[in-house]
Amino acid sequence: MAGIRFIDRNSESNGSNSHRQKNNINAYYRVKLFDGLLLHRRNEEYCDLRLQTDDGTIIATHKIVLAAGCPYFYSMFKGFKENNKSLINIREVDTTSLQLLIDYIYTGEIMISDQNVLDLMPAASMLQLDSVKDACVKFLQDDLNPSNCLGIRKFANFYDDRELLRSSEEYIKKYFREVVEEKEFLSLTSKEVIELISHDNINVPFEEIVFECVYKWVKYEFSCRYDSLPALMEHVRLPLVPIEYLLTNVLEDPLFKKCYYYVTEAINYHKMKENVDFSNSAIRITPRKSYALQKVILVMSLPSEINGMLVTHWYYPTINVWQSAPKIQNCHRLSILTVVKNQYIFSLGREGTPIQVLDFTSQSSNWKLIPDMLVDRVDYGVGVLDNCIYVIGGFNDSGILSSVELFDITTQEWRMISDMSHIREFLGVGVLNNLVYTVGGFTGTSVLRSVEYYNPSLDIWTEVATMSTCRMGASVAVLDGKLYAVGGYDLIDILKCAESYEPSAGVWTSIADMHLPRFCAGVFALDGFLHVLGGKNRSGTLNSKEIYNPKTNTWSLEVLPNSDITICNGLVVEMVPNFKINPWKHSQSL
């Protein structure tokens, strides 16, 4: 109103002549404005442009909104004759996708689904709506699975989307075994199969998987694919397949008469590798990169001995596959396996059986004897710290033991260390923060809840908080800075409960129960999860494994691929290319 004077108090006080200002922002105005524009468009009010798709559908809109919100239309209106047109044909764009994208220009919102993403992404790309295209790529990346990844890769390649192509190819390589078992794989061309199997870093633990997927692809449409077999076999690294497998599954199969050269090459490689020049076959005798990256489990099981040898197995947890491992001579079926420096596997026997070691990085698969322990003992616990094997507690003719000894692999000698505070047999052992923990156990009359750790720098044992449950024969492992005690027996029941100990908090915390009670099960930590294999309960031998996810505090239950094994120990080792193992019951029937 005229005559009203606003006084700036700060100006008067400091003598300034500046005027007071305040920027007022209405947070809802823009939303309301675009809601109004969208309503006008849907009612076809004030619309000065109509877009027509290939099927004749007409979409009314406002030219100024399209120019402001879409680089494609801005360029069209600014530099082309369409600027003066009221009707523009939009070719090769799905009508539903165009309607969604026009709505997006008005609202900034769009619904992406399985039904529209494959049409929406190329349409968004054409209209240069990069935010929508990126959202479609993210949607497809999140949806990658073995049944659709080959199709998504083909889609990404067709539309030249580098990011989606890269992520789909990485997924295919990582989950190669699952991908080639899907029907989508069987629809590939021979050129696409060659492209797939020629990669050096597809994730396969052994070359038989590549051979078998080629075999299956050819057999699917045999009459028109048989001629492609030699070209395919050129990229199968058949010399890396064990000789037993070659003789059993390849040599006598008439299918491979057409490519007998590759079969002969593989057999000669096994028989005469030191006397034959294989320079022309360099790629086929070179292990794939994934071989060296495989984490596998050496499993000790509880069947009766076979001809004085205990059968052990390699287990690939990510693909649920077994292979035979070197047999252990003169070994008791209740021996304990442990690994040192990811190179030496030790078998610690009982009842007079020797202690043996296998260097699984060498070409030899022979076990070698090492000196016996200083104290006869059975039902003891074993842990590894700083290249030393700790053998803890147990039982002998004098009773249940508190004594502890260690084997130093550097000096190849045993020595006694301080005794535990308690006598223990059937105890669990875990190594955490350079300390050796003993968990629970049996005293001959009672089951223990107590836990103590050994500090090698001080040669003393220290007790910590007790568990909430008494346990003997519990599975003990370390994962992400916590000590886990899983299952076991309390003289009344075989347990499915579990708990974890965090040293910084100094307390045991109960976690979710397993699906099944388990006693003397194998346990190991791998890739952020806790794996518990086999074991026994009142129903007998268990042929299943459970995997604990600490982020969700949940267990998943999976059936193991062979029911003839009672697992009592499992060791995580890094597989190395020059360590030869023989296949065992992993192949699909050919």
Side-chain angles (χ1 to χ4, degrees), residues 41-61:
R41 185 182 78 79
R42 288 176 176 172
N43 292 333
E44 298 190 15
E45 296 172 341
Y46 315 117
C47 294
D48 55 354
L49 179 66
R50 282 165 174 75
L51 306 176
Q52 183 173 3
T53 59
D54 289 336
D55 64 2
T57 301
I58 300 292
I59 302 174
T61 184

Side-chain angles (χ1 to χ4, degrees), residues 49-333:
L49 179 66
R50 282 165 174 75
L51 306 176
Q52 183 173 3
T53 59
D54 289 336
D55 64 2
T57 301
I58 300 292
I59 302 174
T61 184
H62 304 93
K63 189 178 294 184
I64 187 61
V65 176
L66 298 191
C70 178
Y72 174 84
F73 286 111
Y74 175 79
S75 298
M76 176 187 290
F77 301 148
K78 184 177 181 181
F80 298 94
K81 60 183 179 180
E82 284 83 359
N83 183 41
N84 298 318
K85 289 185 176 182
S86 59
L87 177 66
I88 298 175
N89 293 318
I90 304 295
R91 302 294 186 189
E92 299 180 357
V93 175
D94 174 71
T95 297
T96 302
S97 298
L98 184 59
Q99 289 174 329
L100 288 171
L101 291 170
I102 298 300
D103 281 350
Y104 173 80
I105 293 170
Y106 279 79
T107 65
E109 296 181 8
I110 193 165
M111 180 64 70
I112 302 173
S113 69
D114 294 327
Q115 288 72 35
N116 68 25
V117 65
L118 297 182
D119 292 322
L120 195 58
M121 184 177 139
S125 179
M126 191 197 82
L127 297 185
Q128 301 172 35
L129 293 171
D130 292 341
S131 57
V132 178
K133 179 191 172 185
D134 293 344
C136 291
V137 169
K138 180 65 166 56
F139 184 91
L140 290 170
Q141 288 173 329
D142 292 343
D143 195 43
L144 282 168
N145 63 69
S147 67
N148 70 15
C149 57
L150 291 170
I152 290 177
R153 183 189 67 165
K154 189 173 184 178
F155 173 81
N157 191 47
F158 181 83
Y159 287 104
D160 195 29
D161 190 282
R162 302 291 180 177
E163 182 181 355
L164 184 58
L165 183 62
R166 177 191 55 78
S167 56
S168 58
E169 287 183 342
E170 287 180 357
Y171 183 93
I172 292 166
K173 292 173 187 177
K174 183 176 180 180
Y175 297 100
F176 179 87
R177 187 171 187 266
E178 293 87 344
V179 170
V180 298
E181 290 176 353
E182 294 291 334
K183 193 171 182 178
E184 193 176 50
F185 168 73
L186 297 175
S187 66
L188 296 180
T189 65
S190 60
K191 182 180 179 180
E192 289 170 332
V193 175
I194 288 172
E195 182 183 357
L196 189 61
I197 66 175
S198 61
H199 285 296
D200 193 40
N201 56 350
I202 54 175
N203 185 26
V204 288
F206 29 76
E207 193 67 17
E208 298 94 301
I209 292 174
V210 181
F211 168 78
E212 288 170 12
C213 83
V214 168
Y215 189 101
K216 182 173 66 172
W217 183 87
V218 171
K219 292 281 284 186
Y220 184 70
E221 293 182 355
F222 181 78
S223 60
C224 61
R225 293 181 175 181
Y226 179 57
D227 289 340
S228 301
L229 187 58
L232 293 164
M233 290 301 296
E234 182 181 353
H235 301 277
V236 178
R237 304 182 186 189
L238 208 56
L240 302 181
V241 172
I243 185 67
E244 296 89 346
Y245 186 95
L246 290 171
L247 297 175
T248 303
N249 297 304
V250 185
L251 183 61
E252 300 301 324
D253 194 318
L255 181 67
F256 295 99
K257 289 181 179 179
K258 191 175 182 70
C259 47
Y260 195 72
Y261 168 79
Y262 298 109
V263 180
T264 304
E265 174 189 69
I267 293 174
N268 288 340
Y269 177 75
H270 284 279
K271 292 182 176 180
M272 302 177 290
K273 64 174 65 176
E274 295 181 358
N275 302 317
V276 177
D277 181 10
F278 286 96
S279 57
N280 292 331
S281 313
I283 190 64
R284 287 190 293 279
I285 65 172
T286 303
R288 297 183 193 268
K289 291 179 181 179
S290 60
Y291 294 174
L293 302 176
Q294 288 293 322
K295 289 183 178 179
V296 298
I297 314 303
L298 181 61
V299 173
M300 171 73 77
S301 54
L302 295 177
S304 59
E305 296 87 345
I306 301 175
N307 298 325
M309 295 186 290
L310 183 67
V311 178
T312 56
H313 309 97
W314 295 111
Y315 173 60
Y316 295 79
T318 57
I319 58 175
N320 211 23
V321 164
W322 296 91
Q323 285 187 315
S324 60
K327 298 178 176 63
I328 309 174
Q329 295 182 346
N330 302 316
C331 181
H332 192 276
R333 66 190 182 94

Side-chain angles (χ1 to χ4, degrees), residues 293-391:
L293 302 176
Q294 288 293 322
K295 289 183 178 179
V296 298
I297 314 303
L298 181 61
V299 173
M300 171 73 77
S301 54
L302 295 177
S304 59
E305 296 87 345
I306 301 175
N307 298 325
M309 295 186 290
L310 183 67
V311 178
T312 56
H313 309 97
W314 295 111
Y315 173 60
Y316 295 79
T318 57
I319 58 175
N320 211 23
V321 164
W322 296 91
Q323 285 187 315
S324 60
K327 298 178 176 63
I328 309 174
Q329 295 182 346
N330 302 316
C331 181
H332 192 276
R333 66 190 182 94
L334 294 180
S335 295
I336 297 176
L337 297 181
T338 193
V339 64
V340 180
K341 296 174 65 174
N342 198 46
Q343 178 177 356
Y344 302 103
I345 297 173
F346 286 80
S347 166
L348 290 86
R350 56 172 291 177
E351 297 181 0
T353 55
I355 302 174
Q356 304 175 73
V357 62
L358 171 69
D359 180 354
F360 64 86
T361 64
S362 70
Q363 292 287 350
S364 171
S365 59
N366 297 323
W367 293 82
K368 297 180 180 180
L369 298 178
I370 65 171
D372 289 336
M373 287 182 279
L374 302 176
V375 176
D376 290 332
R377 61 181 84 217
V378 296
D379 302 333
Y380 48 82
V382 173
V384 175
L385 176 61
D386 293 334
N387 300 330
C388 292
I389 301 173
Y390 290 75
V391 178

